[in-house]
Amino acid sequence: MNKTTLILGGTGKTGRRVAERLAKRGRTVRIGSRSGQPSFDWEDQHTWLAGLQDVDCVYVTYYPDLAFPGAADKVRSFAKLAVKNGVRRLVLLSGRGEPGARLGEQAVQESGAEWTIVRASWFCQNFSEGYLVDGVLSGEVPFPAGNVAEPFIDADDIADIVAAALTEDRHVGKLYEVTGPRLLTFAEAVAEIAKATGREIRYAPVSADQYASALLEYGLPSDFVTPLVELFTAVLDGRNSRVMDGVQRALGRPARDFADFARDAAASGVWGSK
Ligand SMILES: NC(=O)c1ccc[n+]([C@@H]2O[C@H](COP(=O)([O-])OP(=O)(O)OC[C@H]3O[C@@H](n4cnc5c(N)ncnc54)[C@H](OP(=O)(O)O)[C@@H]3O)[C@@H](O)[C@H]2O)c1
């Protein structure tokens, strides 16, 4: 019987790509998000069971972030419910250098299901589909990252690994720490985007306090802004300025370079005229 794969965050940066890949492999896919049918909301446990009907594998992405307060407890409760309802495999998206996220990883590892963990660096797609896209469009990208170097990963690489882990047995019990192939500062990353678009765009380093104030002024609630900016401060302190070989280990090929991401994203028109 063709059981269903549930993709939590299935409309997001990695989930959408995983759903496309599984559909191409002939898998039946259910999107688990607030806009899914049935709706799945991490903030409302009563919505979790409906999404698990006839499901044997789940791609677990937590929103806003696995390191947020309470996230690991919710992931633990969800994993328990999933296993109780016949799920045999969980693939978890986690973040590098986030102590809070380790608890979420443990919850999945201890669930009794087959597990794979993909512990990712900063996504390239934050510049094209995430909170940095408005800055790119305006020509100035304010962000509290100083001069730190980050090995940005392409969400397509993550999706390739997750799709493989959901459909092949050789990834069970593996933790892949995945990064792009080279370190770039945020200034260098923005320069790659400027080069790909042919437009003048610059990175504008700001302090964590300035960034938090801007988000609060924009109308975001403080119980979202405070842990988010704390998380950015932690993971951008240099602890993650190291390239890892998770993509090569999982897929037997190198990770995609930021310049290739920038070229393809520019060609897609996401940053304006093609
Ligand atoms: N972005 C990065 O650089 C990065 C790096 C490493 C790890 N990660 C991890 O990736 C995960 C996703 O982060 P992201 O920022 O890239 O977001 P994303 O996956 O692009 O988008 C968020 C997804 O979550 C869904 N969602 C939002 N609120 C929800 C809720 N309350 N309940 C259920 N689903 C909800 C959204 O759909 P609906 O609006 O329909 O609900 C959407 O599908 C996080 O756990 C983060 O730790 C991200």
Side-chain angles (χ1 to χ4, degrees):
M1 186 170 61
N2 184 3
K3 285 241 187 186
T4 299
T5 300
L6 175 64
I7 302 185
L8 300 183
T11 56
K13 294 180 213 58
T14 64
R16 177 169 62 78
R17 290 172 165 85
V18 171
E20 285 166 9
R21 282 159 175 75
L22 291 194
K24 275 194 191 141
R25 291 182 189 212
R27 298 289 169 127
T28 306
V29 165
R30 180 176 302 142
I31 303 300
S33 82
R34 295 164 306 173
S35 56
Q37 292 292 335
S39 173
F40 177 99
D41 189 345
W42 279 113
E43 303 303 325
D44 180 3
Q45 287 209 23
H46 298 106
T47 63
W48 298 358
L49 188 58
L52 286 167
Q53 300 313 309
D54 291 323
V55 166
D56 67 341
C57 300
V58 186
Y59 175 42
V60 182
T61 70
Y62 184 84
Y63 191 86
D65 195 283
L66 198 53
F68 261 48
D73 288 342
K74 284 187 211 157
V75 168
R76 187 173 289 279
S77 301
F78 173 79
K80 201 171 161 191
L81 185 72
V83 170
K84 193 173 156 206
N85 282 275
V87 168
R88 70 180 166 84
R89 183 171 297 182
L90 299 170
V91 178
L92 175 72
L93 176 64
S94 181
R96 282 180 92 209
E98 302 180 13
R102 296 298 86 81
L103 298 173
E105 293 178 3
Q106 272 170 27
V108 166
Q109 288 168 320
E110 292 165 6
S111 65
E114 299 171 348
W115 58 265
T116 306
I117 290 165
V118 182
R119 192 188 280 167
S121 59
W122 210 277
F123 299 169
C124 302
Q125 278 77 6
N126 292 330
F127 291 97
S128 57
E129 301 170 25
Y131 38 81
L132 300 177
V133 71
D134 286 346
V136 173
L137 289 172
S138 76
E140 181 169 286
V141 185
F143 203 64
N147 273 331
V148 80
E150 171 71 20
F152 297 93
I153 178 121
D154 195 309
D156 278 314
D157 282 341
I158 296 176
D160 282 346
I161 296 173
V162 171
L166 288 166
T167 54
E168 300 164 17
D169 291 339
R170 66 196 170 91
H171 303 286
V172 170
K174 299 269 171 60
L175 190 159
Y176 296 118
E177 190 151 344
V178 298
T179 73
R182 67 181 164 126
L183 290 167
L184 289 99
T185 63
F186 277 67
E188 289 167 338
V190 171
E192 290 281 3
I193 294 170
K195 192 170 144 198
T197 56
R199 285 179 33 224
E200 271 191 32
I201 312 167
R202 68 180 197 97
Y203 164 59
V206 295
S207 70
D209 283 349
Q210 284 171 321
Y211 191 69
S213 301
L215 295 184
L216 291 168
E217 252 172 57
Y218 185 72
L220 294 174
S222 59
D223 61 351
F224 174 79
V225 171
T226 303
L228 185 74
V229 174
E230 276 174 14
L231 177 67
F232 287 166
T233 305
V235 298
L236 295 170
D237 68 356
R239 72 183 68 183
N240 288 335
S241 295
R242 211 152 47 101
V243 168
M244 303 294 284
D245 65 353
V247 174
Q248 181 74 41
R249 273 176 55 224
L251 300 174
R253 63 155 176 84
R256 256 163 68 87
D257 191 76
F258 193 91
D260 296 326
F261 150 75
R263 182 202 57 222
D264 290 352
S268 79
V270 69
W271 293 317
S273 55
K274 291 191 193 185

